[in-house]
Amino acid sequence: MLGIFSALGAACSWTYACSLWRKQTKYFSSIEINSIKNIIAFCLFSPVILTLDFKSNSNEIYLLLVSGIIGIAVGDSFYITSLKKLGTRRTLTFESISPLLATILGSFLLNEIPLFNVWIGTLIVTASLLGVASQRAKGEEFENSVRSINNGIFYALISVLCAVIAAILSRHVLVNSNLNPFQTTEIRLFGSLIVLLPFVRIDVYEKIKRLSYENKFRLFFASFLGTNLGILLQQNVFKALPIGLGWTLLSTSP
């Protein structure tokens, strides 16, 4: 039950955080938003580094760094970009394939063969996501160019693939090591920063200073809610549940 409640909690956290992050695209690029939220989250969990045994867990730490690079640095940046180019509805259309993809890859890569009722649940969630995505939001605009839409589709698909691969790596480490969700979260965040920081322009700090206090609070709160709490709960899910079932529950966020 812990895994189920963690999945639903993570879904709720991401749902609200994503609405706050999307508003920040007026002021920052996708990579800048991703970098800022991960820096904040990494600093908040930084004391966890003191609990790590780097020598005995070197292989697991390496896999988690790769997971952070693929899932958080690359995947989240592409996801934010797809939200900006396609809008929420169209992005969700492509996100709807993630439960099926996670279940299939989990079967092949982790040898986690789901029960029949899990497959049925996965199909129901996938169909539900498609149903949500097919609803046109009131006042939704469609003036994006064909090139912008095509780029957005590419970013959305890559973000889904990155997220699922990163989840499988996390699941493998959590099941086969003594690392806890707090530790795996911090390692993954560090991995994402290794890739993101070189792309952050010097004027980001000036952009943050120019924000209103309300927007600064939204940025901080979204980072804590969607990154610290969201990823921590996600890691609990991957430790407690098979990847297919866990990802299906996490996909209820739309």
Short mmCIF file of all heavy atoms in Angstrom, two decimals, residues 40-77:
data_model
loop_
_atom_site.label_atom_id
_atom_site.label_comp_id
_atom_site.label_asym_id
_atom_site.label_seq_id
_atom_site.Cartn_x
_atom_site.Cartn_y
_atom_site.Cartn_z
N ILE A 40 17.73 23.95 -6.69
CA ILE A 40 16.99 24.14 -5.43
C ILE A 40 16.77 22.80 -4.73
O ILE A 40 17.03 22.66 -3.53
CB ILE A 40 15.63 24.83 -5.70
CG1 ILE A 40 15.85 26.26 -6.19
CG2 ILE A 40 14.76 24.83 -4.44
CD1 ILE A 40 14.58 26.95 -6.66
N ALA A 41 16.33 21.81 -5.50
CA ALA A 41 16.04 20.50 -4.91
C ALA A 41 17.31 19.84 -4.38
O ALA A 41 17.31 19.23 -3.30
CB ALA A 41 15.38 19.61 -5.96
N PHE A 42 18.41 19.95 -5.13
CA PHE A 42 19.68 19.35 -4.71
C PHE A 42 20.15 19.97 -3.40
O PHE A 42 20.61 19.27 -2.49
CB PHE A 42 20.73 19.53 -5.79
CG PHE A 42 22.08 18.97 -5.43
CD1 PHE A 42 22.33 17.61 -5.55
CD2 PHE A 42 23.09 19.80 -4.97
CE1 PHE A 42 23.58 17.09 -5.22
CE2 PHE A 42 24.33 19.29 -4.64
CZ PHE A 42 24.58 17.94 -4.76
N CYS A 43 20.05 21.28 -3.28
CA CYS A 43 20.49 21.98 -2.06
C CYS A 43 19.64 21.57 -0.86
O CYS A 43 20.16 21.38 0.25
CB CYS A 43 20.43 23.48 -2.26
SG CYS A 43 21.65 24.12 -3.42
N LEU A 44 18.35 21.42 -1.06
CA LEU A 44 17.46 21.05 0.05
C LEU A 44 17.77 19.66 0.59
O LEU A 44 17.63 19.40 1.79
CB LEU A 44 16.00 21.12 -0.41
CG LEU A 44 15.42 22.52 -0.64
CD1 LEU A 44 14.01 22.44 -1.19
CD2 LEU A 44 15.42 23.33 0.66
N PHE A 45 18.18 18.76 -0.29
CA PHE A 45 18.49 17.38 0.14
C PHE A 45 19.99 17.14 0.33
O PHE A 45 20.40 16.00 0.54
CB PHE A 45 17.96 16.39 -0.90
CG PHE A 45 16.50 16.03 -0.72
CD1 PHE A 45 15.75 16.57 0.30
CD2 PHE A 45 15.89 15.13 -1.59
CE1 PHE A 45 14.42 16.25 0.47
CE2 PHE A 45 14.55 14.78 -1.44
CZ PHE A 45 13.82 15.34 -0.41
N SER A 46 20.81 18.19 0.27
CA SER A 46 22.26 18.03 0.29
C SER A 46 22.81 17.28 1.52
O SER A 46 23.81 16.56 1.38
CB SER A 46 22.96 19.39 0.16
OG SER A 46 22.55 20.27 1.19
N PRO A 47 22.22 17.41 2.72
CA PRO A 47 22.76 16.64 3.85
C PRO A 47 22.76 15.13 3.64
O PRO A 47 23.53 14.40 4.28
CB PRO A 47 21.81 17.02 5.01
CG PRO A 47 21.28 18.36 4.63
CD PRO A 47 21.14 18.32 3.15
N VAL A 48 21.94 14.65 2.71
CA VAL A 48 21.87 13.21 2.44
C VAL A 48 23.20 12.68 1.91
O VAL A 48 23.54 11.51 2.10
CB VAL A 48 20.73 12.92 1.43
CG1 VAL A 48 20.70 11.45 1.04
CG2 VAL A 48 19.39 13.33 2.00
N ILE A 49 23.99 13.55 1.28
CA ILE A 49 25.28 13.13 0.72
C ILE A 49 26.17 12.52 1.80
O ILE A 49 26.94 11.59 1.55
CB ILE A 49 25.99 14.33 0.05
CG1 ILE A 49 25.18 14.82 -1.15
CG2 ILE A 49 27.39 13.95 -0.40
CD1 ILE A 49 25.74 16.06 -1.80
N LEU A 50 26.08 13.04 3.01
CA LEU A 50 26.91 12.57 4.12
C LEU A 50 26.62 11.13 4.50
O LEU A 50 27.44 10.48 5.17
CB LEU A 50 26.72 13.48 5.34
CG LEU A 50 27.06 14.96 5.14
CD1 LEU A 50 26.74 15.76 6.40
CD2 LEU A 50 28.53 15.12 4.77
N THR A 51 25.48 10.61 4.10
CA THR A 51 25.10 9.24 4.46
C THR A 51 25.52 8.21 3.41
O THR A 51 25.32 7.01 3.61
CB THR A 51 23.57 9.14 4.66
OG1 THR A 51 22.90 9.31 3.39
CG2 THR A 51 23.08 10.20 5.64
N LEU A 52 26.10 8.67 2.31
CA LEU A 52 26.43 7.77 1.21
C LEU A 52 27.78 7.08 1.42
O LEU A 52 28.75 7.70 1.85
CB LEU A 52 26.46 8.53 -0.12
CG LEU A 52 25.12 9.01 -0.67
CD1 LEU A 52 25.34 9.93 -1.87
CD2 LEU A 52 24.25 7.82 -1.06
N ASP A 53 27.82 5.79 1.11
CA ASP A 53 29.06 5.03 1.09
C ASP A 53 29.47 4.87 -0.37
O ASP A 53 29.03 3.96 -1.07
CB ASP A 53 28.85 3.66 1.74
CG ASP A 53 30.14 2.86 1.84
OD1 ASP A 53 31.14 3.29 1.24
OD2 ASP A 53 30.14 1.80 2.50
N PHE A 54 30.30 5.81 -0.85
CA PHE A 54 30.64 5.84 -2.27
C PHE A 54 31.44 4.62 -2.72
O PHE A 54 31.32 4.18 -3.87
CB PHE A 54 31.43 7.12 -2.59
CG PHE A 54 30.62 8.37 -2.47
CD1 PHE A 54 30.61 9.09 -1.28
CD2 PHE A 54 29.86 8.83 -3.53
CE1 PHE A 54 29.85 10.25 -1.16
CE2 PHE A 54 29.11 9.99 -3.44
CZ PHE A 54 29.10 10.69 -2.24
N LYS A 55 32.23 4.07 -1.83
CA LYS A 55 33.10 2.96 -2.21
C LYS A 55 32.31 1.68 -2.47
O LYS A 55 32.49 1.03 -3.51
CB LYS A 55 34.15 2.72 -1.12
CG LYS A 55 35.18 1.68 -1.50
CD LYS A 55 36.26 1.57 -0.42
CE LYS A 55 37.33 0.55 -0.83
NZ LYS A 55 38.41 0.44 0.19
N SER A 56 31.43 1.31 -1.55
CA SER A 56 30.71 0.05 -1.69
C SER A 56 29.53 0.13 -2.64
O SER A 56 28.99 -0.89 -3.06
CB SER A 56 30.22 -0.43 -0.31
OG SER A 56 29.34 0.52 0.26
N ASN A 57 29.11 1.35 -2.97
CA ASN A 57 27.95 1.52 -3.86
C ASN A 57 28.33 2.23 -5.16
O ASN A 57 27.48 2.86 -5.79
CB ASN A 57 26.85 2.33 -3.15
CG ASN A 57 26.26 1.60 -1.97
OD1 ASN A 57 25.72 0.51 -2.09
ND2 ASN A 57 26.39 2.21 -0.80
N SER A 58 29.57 2.09 -5.59
CA SER A 58 30.04 2.85 -6.75
C SER A 58 29.27 2.50 -8.03
O SER A 58 28.90 3.40 -8.81
CB SER A 58 31.53 2.61 -6.97
OG SER A 58 31.79 1.22 -7.14
N ASN A 59 29.00 1.22 -8.27
CA ASN A 59 28.27 0.83 -9.48
C ASN A 59 26.84 1.36 -9.48
O ASN A 59 26.34 1.84 -10.49
CB ASN A 59 28.25 -0.70 -9.62
CG ASN A 59 29.62 -1.27 -9.94
OD1 ASN A 59 30.47 -0.60 -10.52
ND2 ASN A 59 29.84 -2.52 -9.55
N GLU A 60 26.20 1.27 -8.32
CA GLU A 60 24.81 1.75 -8.19
C GLU A 60 24.75 3.27 -8.36
O GLU A 60 23.83 3.80 -8.99
CB GLU A 60 24.23 1.35 -6.83
CG GLU A 60 23.93 -0.13 -6.68
CD GLU A 60 25.18 -0.95 -6.38
OE1 GLU A 60 26.24 -0.34 -6.11
OE2 GLU A 60 25.09 -2.18 -6.42
N ILE A 61 25.73 3.96 -7.79
CA ILE A 61 25.78 5.42 -7.91
C ILE A 61 25.96 5.82 -9.38
O ILE A 61 25.33 6.77 -9.86
CB ILE A 61 26.91 6.01 -7.04
CG1 ILE A 61 26.53 5.87 -5.56
CG2 ILE A 61 27.17 7.47 -7.39
CD1 ILE A 61 27.63 6.27 -4.59
N TYR A 62 26.79 5.08 -10.10
CA TYR A 62 26.99 5.36 -11.52
C TYR A 62 25.67 5.21 -12.29
O TYR A 62 25.31 6.07 -13.11
CB TYR A 62 28.04 4.42 -12.09
CG TYR A 62 28.17 4.49 -13.60
CD1 TYR A 62 28.80 5.56 -14.22
CD2 TYR A 62 27.63 3.47 -14.40
CE1 TYR A 62 28.90 5.63 -15.60
CE2 TYR A 62 27.73 3.54 -15.78
CZ TYR A 62 28.36 4.61 -16.38
OH TYR A 62 28.44 4.68 -17.73
N LEU A 63 24.94 4.13 -12.02
CA LEU A 63 23.66 3.91 -12.71
C LEU A 63 22.66 5.02 -12.38
O LEU A 63 21.90 5.47 -13.25
CB LEU A 63 23.08 2.55 -12.32
CG LEU A 63 23.77 1.32 -12.90
CD1 LEU A 63 23.14 0.04 -12.35
CD2 LEU A 63 23.70 1.33 -14.43
N LEU A 64 22.66 5.48 -11.13
CA LEU A 64 21.74 6.54 -10.74
C LEU A 64 22.12 7.88 -11.37
O LEU A 64 21.24 8.68 -11.71
CB LEU A 64 21.70 6.67 -9.22
CG LEU A 64 21.00 5.52 -8.47
CD1 LEU A 64 21.26 5.62 -6.97
CD2 LEU A 64 19.50 5.54 -8.75
N LEU A 65 23.41 8.12 -11.52
CA LEU A 65 23.84 9.34 -12.21
C LEU A 65 23.35 9.32 -13.66
O LEU A 65 22.86 10.33 -14.18
CB LEU A 65 25.37 9.46 -12.17
CG LEU A 65 26.00 9.78 -10.81
CD1 LEU A 65 27.52 9.72 -10.91
CD2 LEU A 65 25.56 11.16 -10.32
N VAL A 66 23.47 8.16 -14.30
CA VAL A 66 22.97 8.02 -15.67
C VAL A 66 21.46 8.20 -15.70
O VAL A 66 20.91 8.86 -16.60
CB VAL A 66 23.36 6.64 -16.25
CG1 VAL A 66 22.71 6.42 -17.61
CG2 VAL A 66 24.87 6.51 -16.36
N SER A 67 20.77 7.64 -14.70
CA SER A 67 19.32 7.79 -14.61
C SER A 67 18.94 9.26 -14.47
O SER A 67 17.97 9.72 -15.09
CB SER A 67 18.80 7.00 -13.40
OG SER A 67 17.42 7.23 -13.21
N GLY A 68 19.68 10.00 -13.67
CA GLY A 68 19.40 11.43 -13.48
C GLY A 68 19.65 12.23 -14.76
O GLY A 68 18.88 13.13 -15.09
N ILE A 69 20.72 11.87 -15.47
CA ILE A 69 21.02 12.56 -16.72
C ILE A 69 19.92 12.32 -17.75
O ILE A 69 19.41 13.25 -18.38
CB ILE A 69 22.39 12.09 -17.27
CG1 ILE A 69 23.52 12.58 -16.36
CG2 ILE A 69 22.60 12.58 -18.70
CD1 ILE A 69 24.87 11.97 -16.68
N ILE A 70 19.54 11.04 -17.90
CA ILE A 70 18.54 10.69 -18.92
C ILE A 70 17.14 11.19 -18.54
O ILE A 70 16.45 11.82 -19.34
CB ILE A 70 18.50 9.16 -19.12
CG1 ILE A 70 19.82 8.67 -19.70
CG2 ILE A 70 17.33 8.76 -20.03
CD1 ILE A 70 19.92 7.16 -19.80
N GLY A 71 16.74 10.91 -17.29
CA GLY A 71 15.36 11.20 -16.90
C GLY A 71 15.09 12.64 -16.51
O GLY A 71 14.06 13.21 -16.89
N ILE A 72 16.01 13.24 -15.76
CA ILE A 72 15.77 14.59 -15.23
C ILE A 72 16.37 15.66 -16.14
O ILE A 72 15.69 16.62 -16.51
CB ILE A 72 16.34 14.72 -13.80
CG1 ILE A 72 15.72 13.66 -12.88
CG2 ILE A 72 16.04 16.11 -13.24
CD1 ILE A 72 16.29 13.65 -11.48
N ALA A 73 17.64 15.50 -16.50
CA ALA A 73 18.29 16.53 -17.33
C ALA A 73 17.69 16.55 -18.74
O ALA A 73 17.21 17.59 -19.21
CB ALA A 73 19.79 16.28 -17.40
N VAL A 74 17.71 15.42 -19.41
CA VAL A 74 17.23 15.37 -20.80
C VAL A 74 15.71 15.27 -20.85
O VAL A 74 15.04 16.06 -21.53
CB VAL A 74 17.87 14.18 -21.55
CG1 VAL A 74 17.36 14.12 -22.99
CG2 VAL A 74 19.39 14.28 -21.53
N GLY A 75 15.14 14.29 -20.14
CA GLY A 75 13.71 14.04 -20.21
C GLY A 75 12.86 15.22 -19.77
O GLY A 75 11.92 15.61 -20.47
N ASP A 76 13.18 15.81 -18.62
CA ASP A 76 12.39 16.94 -18.12
C ASP A 76 12.53 18.17 -19.00
O ASP A 76 11.57 18.93 -19.19
CB ASP A 76 12.80 17.28 -16.68
CG ASP A 76 12.23 16.30 -15.67
OD1 ASP A 76 11.58 15.33 -16.10
OD2 ASP A 76 12.41 16.51 -14.46
N SER A 77 13.74 18.40 -19.54
CA SER A 77 13.93 19.56 -20.43
C SER A 77 13.08 19.42 -21.68
O SER A 77 12.43 20.38 -22.13
CB SER A 77 15.41 19.69 -20.81
OG SER A 77 16.20 20.03 -19.69
#
